[in-house]
Amino acid sequence: MTSDPPARRRPCAVAATASDDAGFDDLLQILGEQLGRSTQGGDPRNGRKLKNVVLEYEAHHTAVHDMAGNAGYSLASNWFTQLLAQLAVANSITKSQLCVFLYVAGGQERGTGIAQYTQQEITDGLNKLAAQKGGKMITRSTVNRAIKALVGYKWVEQLGNGRVQLNVRLWFHGTSTAQHQVLEHLAVQHDHDPEAFPHGIGPEAHQEELDLGVAPYRDQRERRTG
């Protein structure tokens, strides 16, 4: 008469513990339940051999941004967005400065904070709708003055060859990791000076004469054809 073999220990589900990898905890629990079911049913010697583990899950659909146009979207500082409005109302920045900054900020290359625009391309881009409607148009000389003012505000920095570096603490198209990499690169370029770009943001909120920086569309057309 032979003695019965020692009873097998029944696998049990792995207890869920607090972890940053909650998804793995769920998988371990499911695996434990599958292993447990494989040995159920009377005599442990009659347990079935586990051949595979089936995991069933339902896809979790996350909401995505629904943005107008095909240019994607960027992240902007809420503080800076409100500051732009306040400066415009207080006439502390000109209309041309505001328009040039917004146009360049919207055209930055993802993950770099850099926009590739010559002054003529900025001028033509801003005048696109004005030309279609026969309205007033901004001049290249006004764009040039606006860029110089924005550099003084530390909102942008000119890199040469039509490349403009945006202050990525104000407006950035890309991930947070990419932004920190750009900030570190800028810090090295400026010897970690806390007063250099992209720090020390201006301008001061004071009244200035409003410079529309535009010229009549008819004058522009005559100048081109003359």
Side-chain angles (χ1 to χ4, degrees):
M1 181 175 180
T2 59
S3 60
D4 292 334
R8 300 176 186 174
R9 294 184 61 186
R10 179 179 175 182
C12 60
V14 177
T17 57
S19 170
D20 292 337
D21 300 323
F24 290 103
D25 293 340
D26 292 340
L27 289 176
L28 289 174
Q29 183 174 354
I30 294 172
L31 180 59
E33 293 174 354
Q34 291 277 344
L35 291 171
R37 284 197 290 269
S38 71
T39 56
Q40 289 178 355
D43 192 336
R45 289 174 296 181
N46 295 330
R48 295 171 296 169
K49 182 179 179 181
L50 181 64
K51 292 184 177 180
N52 67 322
V53 176
V54 179
L55 300 177
E56 297 182 0
Y57 66 94
E58 181 179 355
H60 178 65
H61 299 285
T62 57
V64 296
H65 293 84
D66 184 358
M67 310 300 294
N70 59 0
Y73 66 96
S74 303
L75 298 176
S77 159
N78 287 339
W79 168 84
F80 180 67
T81 303
Q82 290 190 323
L83 177 64
L84 279 178
Q86 293 168 344
L87 291 172
V89 170
N91 289 343
S92 291
I93 56 173
T94 66
K95 177 182 177 181
S96 58
Q97 292 166 12
L98 178 61
C99 292
V100 168
F101 176 79
L102 292 176
Y103 189 82
V104 173
Q108 60 184 289
E109 299 172 2
R110 181 177 177 83
T112 66
I114 295 175
Q116 185 73 41
Y117 288 121
T118 64
Q119 291 186 12
Q120 188 60 55
E121 288 172 336
I122 295 173
T123 304
D124 293 341
L126 288 174
N127 284 332
K128 183 177 181 179
L129 291 180
Q132 294 174 1
K133 297 179 177 295
K136 293 182 178 180
M137 301 175 67
I138 193 169
T139 65
R140 180 172 174 175
S141 60
T142 300
V143 169
N144 180 46
R145 291 195 299 271
I147 291 178
K148 289 181 178 179
L150 296 175
V151 170
Y153 301 157
K154 295 185 175 65
W155 294 4
V156 303
E157 189 174 55
Q158 289 184 286
L159 303 179
N161 298 321
R163 299 168 72 241
V164 182
Q165 173 70 63
L166 267 293
N167 183 334
V168 298
R169 297 178 64 239
L170 305 179
W171 206 299
F172 187 65
H173 179 34
T175 65
S176 58
T177 299
Q179 188 219 25
H180 285 288
Q181 291 173 346
V182 173
L183 285 172
E184 177 59 28
H185 179 69
L186 292 174
V188 171
Q189 284 186 322
H190 296 85
D191 298 324
H192 295 274
D193 183 354
E195 298 299 324
F197 184 86
H199 306 288
I201 302 164
E204 297 293 334
H206 59 274
Q207 292 287 333
E208 291 183 355
E209 183 180 354
L210 182 60
D211 174 22
L212 296 179
V214 296
Y217 174 66
R218 181 177 300 174
D219 292 346
Q220 288 288 314
R221 184 169 52 191
E222 291 174 353
R223 186 178 303 171
R224 292 179 180 177
T225 58

